[in-house]
Amino acid sequence: MKKLFLNQDIKSVRAFAILLMLSPLLSFGQTETLSLQKAIELAQSRNRDLRIDSINMHKAKQQTAITRGLLMPNISLTGQFQHYFQKPVFFGLNGNTSNSEKIGYARFGGEDIGAAQISLVQPIYNSGTKHEIERRKLLEKQSQLSFRQREVDVVAQVKQNYVQLLVLNERLKLQKESIVRNQKALNDSRSLLAQGRALRVDTLRAYTSVKNLEPDVLRLNYALQISQQQLRNLLGDVSETNYVLSDSLELNSDESIPAEEGTYKLSIQQRPDLQILTLNKEINDKEIDLYKSARLPVVSFISQYQIQTQTNQFRFGNAAYPPVFFAGVQFSIPIFSGNQNVNKIALGKIERQQADVIYNNAQEQLKTEVKQVLASLVETSERIKTQQNVSETAELSYSITKYRYEKGVASRLELIDSEFALTAAKSNYLEAVYDYLSSKIELDRITGNVKDQL
């Protein structure tokens, strides 16, 4: 029974070791080396959300061009043909009879009537068109700022995903190293058990330690696959490319944490979403001007050249074509529109007040965000120093305990505890590094920075 248990353990551990060796080969698709700079460049050129916002920029530009056309002349050419089965009727030509109230009429003219005319309308004064063009220009600028904000968000997501992949790879490496150490301890326990120099409980404890680590490896492998898919989505990659990251987790010890006031001012100046809120106030002002201009007159220059003719039995070749030409000025003065303009102006003022409140609220929220991210940077930088020291101490402690165990001074339980402490210390250090880099990425996002460095 004891021998059967050991054989099953050996087969299970060997199978899992083979799985660990083959795990990098289980991913499908081609493999490509990817640096952070290249990842950001690919996202900026192929990300689908950025492409959508880029199309919105072109749409806004085209809308501005359409609005500008309202100031240009409108020229049209029209023509018509009519065939009368009964000639047109004209009333009042024969006069009224004394004993009848009927109005006399007569029929004359041609059965076939044709006409062609070319018309010109040139706007001279239209205050509404001017304000609409200015509003469209602001909307065009707004679409550009929306694209920039999307770019800031996408770059931050790429950085975050890249760091996550680096940390997951390091965690997986750390977990495999722990399995190797525990596997060696298991083999030693089995050897000592076979020699009668150790207890069976030591072997069971070592076996349990190995088995407890296996699910974490599986979980990390699945997390890597999901992060790879997220990265492909950010880069606009529709293939099953498996990216091998060329950058590493490096911390710049000389880097200082910026001041809160300077970071806040920089965010106000650079963040596209805050600039959009400022622009919204200008757009509301232009809309109010547009509503006010609806009460002003519209003046246009009009001109028309017309040729018409009448004939019978479609004899247009023998018909006369007398021209008619005129030019003049046309104006339209709004008098009453059911108080729509007054209500629209009132609505525009309300929306302007709302835009002020939204902007002020965004400023206050920004202060909180800046304070939080800077506090996180300070906390995580201190935690990194502490965890680095703890990791070095745990590694030294494990080396000493392992040496003492090999000399028969320390117990198996002490070795397992020191190995667990070493793995936990390194894992906590990786977590501190990840939190620090995440805070730096968030700081770049808050300040509207799209640089390709961590």
Side-chain angles (χ1 to χ4, degrees):
M1 193 67 183
K2 176 180 177 182
K3 183 177 180 181
L4 178 61
F5 171 77
L6 292 176
N7 289 337
Q8 288 177 347
D9 290 348
I10 293 172
K11 291 180 181 179
S12 176
V13 173
R14 286 178 178 175
F16 187 73
I18 294 174
L19 178 63
L20 290 180
M21 289 187 293
L22 294 179
S23 58
L25 304 177
L26 295 179
S27 58
F28 300 96
Q30 61 181 355
T31 301
E32 181 179 344
T33 303
L34 184 69
S35 65
L36 178 60
Q37 179 180 359
K38 184 178 179 182
I40 292 176
E41 291 174 354
L42 289 175
Q44 289 174 331
S45 61
R46 300 191 312 191
N47 182 268
R48 285 179 283 272
D49 290 332
L50 283 177
R51 290 171 61 186
I52 292 173
D53 283 353
S54 177
I55 293 174
N56 287 335
M57 287 172 54
H58 293 295
K59 286 174 60 179
K61 186 176 181 180
Q62 198 62 38
Q63 287 289 347
T64 304
I66 292 173
T67 307
R68 282 199 185 99
L70 297 176
L71 295 178
M72 300 180 68
N74 188 351
I75 302 175
S76 61
L77 176 64
T78 60
Q80 62 180 4
F81 167 76
Q82 297 173 345
H83 174 74
Y84 288 87
F85 295 95
Q86 292 180 320
K87 291 184 178 182
V89 175
F90 295 87
F91 285 88
L93 298 178
N94 293 335
N96 293 333
T97 59
S98 59
N99 58 355
S100 174
E101 295 181 355
K102 294 182 178 180
I103 299 176
Y105 66 90
R107 297 177 181 270
F108 58 89
E111 298 174 350
D112 304 309
I113 299 177
Q117 59 188 18
I118 182 169
S119 302
L120 168 67
V121 178
Q122 172 62 57
I124 298 176
Y125 176 78
N126 189 340
S127 179
T129 301
K130 173 187 175 183
H131 293 306
E132 178 63 15
I133 292 175
E134 293 175 350
R135 190 178 77 92
R136 284 295 175 184
K137 289 180 179 179
L138 293 175
L139 290 173
E140 184 178 346
K141 185 178 179 180
Q142 186 183 60
S143 67
Q144 296 172 357
L145 291 173
S146 297
F147 176 83
R148 284 178 50 198
Q149 180 60 43
R150 179 73 68 178
E151 185 180 24
V152 170
D153 293 337
V154 168
V155 170
Q157 291 173 9
V158 170
K159 290 179 180 179
Q160 188 69 37
N161 187 270
Y162 198 94
V163 170
Q164 185 179 17
L165 279 171
L166 288 175
V167 171
L168 285 173
N169 283 321
E170 290 297 323
R171 283 184 179 273
L172 183 60
K173 180 182 177 182
L174 177 62
Q175 205 71 9
K176 290 180 179 180
E177 290 175 354
S178 179
I179 289 178
V180 170
R181 289 194 295 266
N182 281 274
Q183 180 61 45
K184 186 178 183 305
L186 177 61
N187 294 336
D188 292 341
S189 296
R190 284 174 175 159
S191 177
L192 294 174
L193 179 63
Q195 298 173 18
R197 297 169 53 191
L199 299 176
R200 186 167 181 266
V201 67
D202 293 333
T203 304
L204 291 175
R205 186 180 291 113
Y207 173 79
T208 303
S209 299
V210 173
K211 285 300 179 181
N212 285 336
L213 293 173
E214 291 179 2
D216 290 335
V217 173
L218 186 62
R219 176 179 58 84
L220 290 172
N221 277 319
Y222 278 121
L224 279 170
Q225 293 178 16
I226 294 173
S227 294
Q228 284 277 349
Q229 183 61 47
Q230 292 173 343
L231 182 60
R232 286 192 290 268
N233 291 338
L234 289 172
L235 302 187
D237 186 2
V238 296
S239 65
E240 293 296 328
T241 305
N242 183 37
Y243 292 106
V244 178
L245 308 186
S246 60
D247 292 355
S248 58
L249 289 172
E250 295 182 357
L251 298 178
N252 186 2
S253 58
D254 297 332
E255 190 174 28
S256 60
I257 298 175
E260 182 177 337
E261 183 178 357
T263 303
Y264 175 75
K265 291 181 179 180
L266 184 64
S267 300
I268 292 291
Q269 295 173 358
Q270 294 189 169
R271 277 187 61 163
D273 57 343
L274 291 177
Q275 296 177 23
I276 289 175
L277 295 180
T278 303
L279 200 61
N280 285 339
K281 296 190 289 185
E282 297 182 32
I283 293 174
N284 290 138
D285 292 336
K286 290 301 176 184
E287 287 177 348
I288 294 174
D289 294 337
L290 182 62
Y291 297 147
K292 290 180 179 179
S293 65
R295 300 182 297 186
L296 300 177
V298 176
V299 183
S300 302
F301 171 79
I302 59 174
S303 180
Q304 185 182 90
Y305 183 84
Q306 177 179 342
I307 295 177
Q308 56 184 345
T309 184
Q310 293 187 14
T311 187
N312 294 315
Q313 298 180 355
F314 305 102
R315 296 173 180 172
F316 289 102
N318 297 326
Y321 295 88
V324 176
F325 176 69
F326 72 87
V329 177
Q330 175 180 292
F331 64 91
S332 173
I333 302 176
I335 298 177
F336 182 73
S337 61
N339 289 329
Q340 291 189 25
N341 293 331
V342 175
N343 293 327
K344 286 180 178 179
I345 293 172
L347 176 62
K349 292 180 179 180
I350 293 173
E351 291 177 345
R352 179 64 168 82
Q353 294 175 358
Q354 185 183 37
D356 288 334
V357 174
I358 292 174
Y359 181 76
N360 293 334
N361 184 48
Q363 283 185 317
E364 294 303 319
Q365 290 181 350
L366 177 61
K367 292 179 181 179
T368 304
E369 292 178 4
V370 169
K371 187 179 292 293
Q372 286 178 343
V373 71
L374 293 180
S376 178
L377 281 173
V378 173
E379 184 269 332
T380 52
S381 61
E382 293 298 324
R383 185 149 52 98
I384 285 175
K385 296 176 183 178
T386 302
Q387 292 300 328
Q388 186 175 12
N389 185 33
V390 171
S391 180
E392 293 173 355
T393 303
E395 192 165 2
L396 178 61
S397 175
Y398 175 75
S399 300
I400 294 174
T401 305
K402 181 181 177 183
Y403 176 79
R404 294 177 68 243
Y405 174 77
E406 291 173 350
K407 297 300 181 180
V409 178
S411 65
R412 166 61 55 185
L413 183 59
E414 289 178 312
L415 181 62
I416 292 176
D417 289 342
S418 63
E419 195 283 329
F420 178 78
L422 174 61
T423 303
K426 290 186 175 181
S427 179
N428 291 336
Y429 174 75
L430 280 177
E431 182 179 356
V433 171
Y434 175 75
D435 292 342
Y436 177 78
L437 293 178
S438 297
S439 298
K440 284 189 61 180
I441 294 171
E442 182 64 14
L443 178 62
D444 289 340
R445 190 192 67 81
I446 287 178
T447 56
N449 197 343
V450 293
K451 64 181 181 179
D452 55 3
Q453 297 178 353
L454 292 175

